[in-house]
Amino acid sequence: MPAAPVVLLHGVGLDRTLWDAFAASLDAETIALDLPGHGAEPALRAPQTLADLADDVLRRLPDGAVHLVGFSLGALIAQQIAVQDPDRALTLTCVSGVCRRTDAERAAVLARLDSARDDFAASVQASLERWYPAGTGVAAETIAQTRRTLLANDVESYLYAYAVFAQGDAEIAPRLGEIGCPTLAITGELDPGSTPDMSRRLAEAVAGARLVVVPDTRHMLPVERPDALRTALTELISESEGVMR
């Protein structure tokens, strides 16, 4: 078990309960935080930057260095923390992350933002259909819980957070080369929004980073394939601790 805690950051529109089953499976101290504007945190009432969200999370991290694990928007925030306060990140794991979107990829995510602004409930349904298509092996109750979490969002707050998700990869891109801690980029082979190409871009931008593409897996990797994530994360932490000894 690592001496330092594993800090888990969820994606936009979700909350810390995303990690419940995964955290219970780890032989480590885990701390799952609600992102700014999510879960039990106060709603966002003004536009945000990626740095703003990272500052908020940094204030709530435990003392000392941690193993940072971020999913989707949480991965962008974890990257920002690793850049602006490198002593806090022993390792960095970016799960279903986005990186240096192309013009077409940026247009697609901005279209989803517009859809959420126009009809939030319909955008939630569209997200569920992307994440859990017909034939998914994810339990029906897990899908229902995801739906409940998404629909419970304060819509104004969600839109401010989603805008950071849509633009934050451009904000952090020029500084990715500054990340010095052992880094893992892991995503699903079939993720249409946080694609394998994006994780490859991240792995290429961060010196020594490793890339894992999980076969036959979509966006919700922490709940769809927690075993694959646990194995990759455990290897990253074990190897990093071996280097530090």
Side-chain angles (χ1 to χ4, degrees):
M1 182 173 72
V6 176
V7 172
L8 303 165
L9 305 177
H10 62 80
V12 66
L14 303 170
D15 64 17
R16 66 183 183 275
T17 63
L18 168 79
W19 299 106
D20 284 354
F22 178 74
S25 75
L26 284 182
D27 183 22
E29 177 188 359
T30 59
I31 300 170
L33 298 178
D34 284 327
L35 296 187
H38 293 75
E41 291 300 300
L44 302 174
R45 288 293 178 256
Q48 304 289 305
T49 66
L50 183 59
D52 292 334
L53 300 189
D55 285 341
D56 183 292
V57 171
L58 269 167
R59 287 193 294 270
R60 293 184 283 125
L61 287 183
D63 292 338
V66 302
H67 297 284
L68 278 174
V69 180
F71 167 70
S72 197
L73 173 59
L76 287 173
I77 294 172
Q79 292 165 30
Q80 180 70 31
I81 290 171
V83 164
Q84 73 181 59
D85 200 346
D87 291 340
R88 304 303 303 278
L90 288 170
T91 63
L92 170 65
T93 299
C94 299
V95 186
S96 306
V98 297
C99 183
R100 294 177 173 168
R101 288 183 177 100
T102 64
D103 290 344
E105 290 164 347
R106 177 97 43 222
V109 73
L110 290 174
R112 293 197 292 274
L113 175 59
D114 286 341
S115 295
R117 188 178 291 113
D118 294 339
D119 188 337
F120 180 69
S123 75
V124 166
Q125 181 60 32
S127 293
L128 292 168
E129 290 171 2
R130 284 196 311 275
W131 299 348
Y132 305 121
T136 180
V138 177
E141 175 51 33
T142 299
I143 298 172
Q145 179 57 49
T146 304
R147 183 190 301 275
R148 289 191 291 269
T149 302
L150 289 171
L151 289 174
N153 274 278
D154 176 285
V155 175
E156 179 185 3
S157 184
Y158 174 91
L159 293 173
Y160 285 134
Y162 203 98
V164 176
F165 175 62
Q167 303 284 1
D169 61 308
E171 188 177 339
I172 192 63
R175 303 192 65 185
L176 290 174
E178 299 175 33
I179 296 174
C181 62
T183 297
L184 166 67
I186 179 170
T187 199
E189 175 191 22
L190 304 179
D191 191 331
S194 301
T195 64
D197 279 346
M198 292 188 192
S199 283
R200 289 188 186 97
R201 292 170 208 158
L202 178 59
E204 290 168 359
V206 178
R210 67 177 64 182
L211 169 69
V212 175
V213 178
V214 183
D216 197 29
T217 303
R218 297 182 76 87
H219 187 61
M220 293 289 277
L221 195 154
V223 298
E224 189 178 357
R225 288 295 308 278
D227 53 338
L229 177 56
R230 181 175 61 252
T231 296
L233 174 62
T234 300
E235 290 176 355
L236 179 74
I237 292 174
S238 295
E239 291 178 12
S240 72
E241 290 183 336
V243 170
M244 289 186 290
R245 288 192 184 100

